[in-house]
Amino acid sequence: MIERSSSRAFRPEPIDRAVLAAIFGDAQRAPSWCNVQPWRVCVTEGAKTKSLAEAMIAAAKSGLPHAEVPFPLDYPPPYKQHRQACGIALYQNMGIAKGDGEGRYAAWLRNYGFFDAPHVAIVACDRRLGPYAYLDVGVWLGYVLAACAERGIATCPMASVAAYPEALRAHLPIAETDVILFGLALGHADPDAPANRTRTTREPLDANVSFCS
Ligand SMILES: Cc1cc2nc3c(=O)[nH]c(=O)nc-3n(C[C@H](O)[C@H](O)[C@H](O)COP(=O)(O)O)c2cc1C
């Protein structure tokens, strides 16, 4: 399997339209229930990324989060520990101490500038199909991540940006019948950025998979 990890610092150089089209073209092969293909995606290019980032940063600074698909309110064990471990790994690499509220706020706000990526894909799903269609979009995301990794394109999926749907809807043609699920920052990773040294761990196989005979 191709190595990948989330990048949280990007270089400004854009990805050629032909490469973007090839990545999302590959992901069109993703399977979905009854082949409904419910992913609805806007990919920003050029000045649109910057103007959307400005609007999202303003929304995040001033508004309360209210995602169209509710975020988890609580993470029971073992999810809480996994969540904490990935936060600790990121903040340690970035040199942000535990009690550094300002540093944490600045790091959180970088989500809304898409970590300076030249492109963000805002991913929605037709709400009339119900939650099973979200599963199809998750499978599609896996295809996109693999298609990017194959080409050396860096990515970071971001549920965070779904917390401010009005700003996204004001700037992008997102249908009323669609529900916003997440964003995906795309670009070339900044190899010198400490955040990009972050690597997360995974549980051993038997924590997630049982062979039943
Ligand atoms: C649906 C989804 C939403 C995510 N949302 C965010 C986010 O809002 N901000 C962020 O920094 N990372 C986000 N991530 C990245 C995860 O934190 C990351 O995938 C996880 O910690 C595993 O690390 P890895 O991607 O480097 O393997 C998201 C990942 C997924 C799949």
Side-chain angles (χ1 to χ4, degrees):
M1 187 181 264
I2 297 159
E3 273 295 308
R4 57 146 295 284
S5 58
S6 294
S7 291
R8 295 184 181 85
F10 290 82
R11 295 185 47 76
E13 295 80 22
I15 305 170
D16 287 344
R17 167 71 71 87
V19 175
L20 286 173
I23 288 166
F24 289 100
D26 282 359
Q28 286 295 103
R29 296 303 310 165
S32 54
W33 195 352
C34 299
N35 201 24
V36 290
Q37 306 160 59
W39 45 91
R40 296 287 176 267
V41 187
C42 296
V43 185
T44 66
E45 295 179 296
K48 192 70 174 178
T49 311
K50 197 164 182 290
S51 59
L52 186 62
E54 283 167 3
M56 291 302 291
I57 290 168
K61 279 180 171 171
S62 62
L64 287 175
H66 54 281
E68 294 174 345
V69 175
F71 287 180
L73 295 174
D74 186 30
Y75 291 82
Y79 313 110
K80 188 176 179 178
Q81 286 76 8
H82 294 328
R83 183 173 187 242
Q84 280 170 343
C86 91
I88 289 168
L90 176 62
Y91 290 139
Q92 268 176 358
N93 277 302
M94 293 179 81
I96 300 171
K98 202 174 175 200
D100 179 2
E102 231 171 83
R104 282 177 174 239
Y105 179 75
W108 169 79
L109 207 54
R110 282 183 54 72
N111 277 270
Y112 301 95
F114 319 131
F115 305 109
D116 300 324
H119 307 278
V120 65
I122 300 300
V123 181
C125 178
D126 196 311
R127 68 174 86 232
R128 295 169 296 185
L129 298 171
Y132 256 98
Y134 304 165
L135 194 67
D136 298 332
V137 182
V139 174
W140 170 88
L141 171 62
Y143 271 58
V144 174
L145 297 180
C148 286
E150 265 174 16
R151 292 169 173 86
I153 300 296
T155 49
C156 188
M158 297 171 296
S160 48
V161 301
Y164 300 98
E166 284 88 1
L168 296 171
R169 289 185 180 278
H171 283 76
L172 299 171
I174 300 168
E176 275 307 313
T177 43
D178 292 345
V179 62
I180 297 170
L181 296 180
F182 58 87
L184 178 69
L186 299 126
H188 300 283
D190 177 347
D192 303 322
N196 287 345
R197 288 200 294 261
T198 307
R199 292 294 177 273
T200 51
T201 57
R202 297 295 186 272
E203 288 268 66
L205 183 62
D206 62 4
N208 296 81
V209 180
S210 311
F211 295 100
C212 309
S213 53

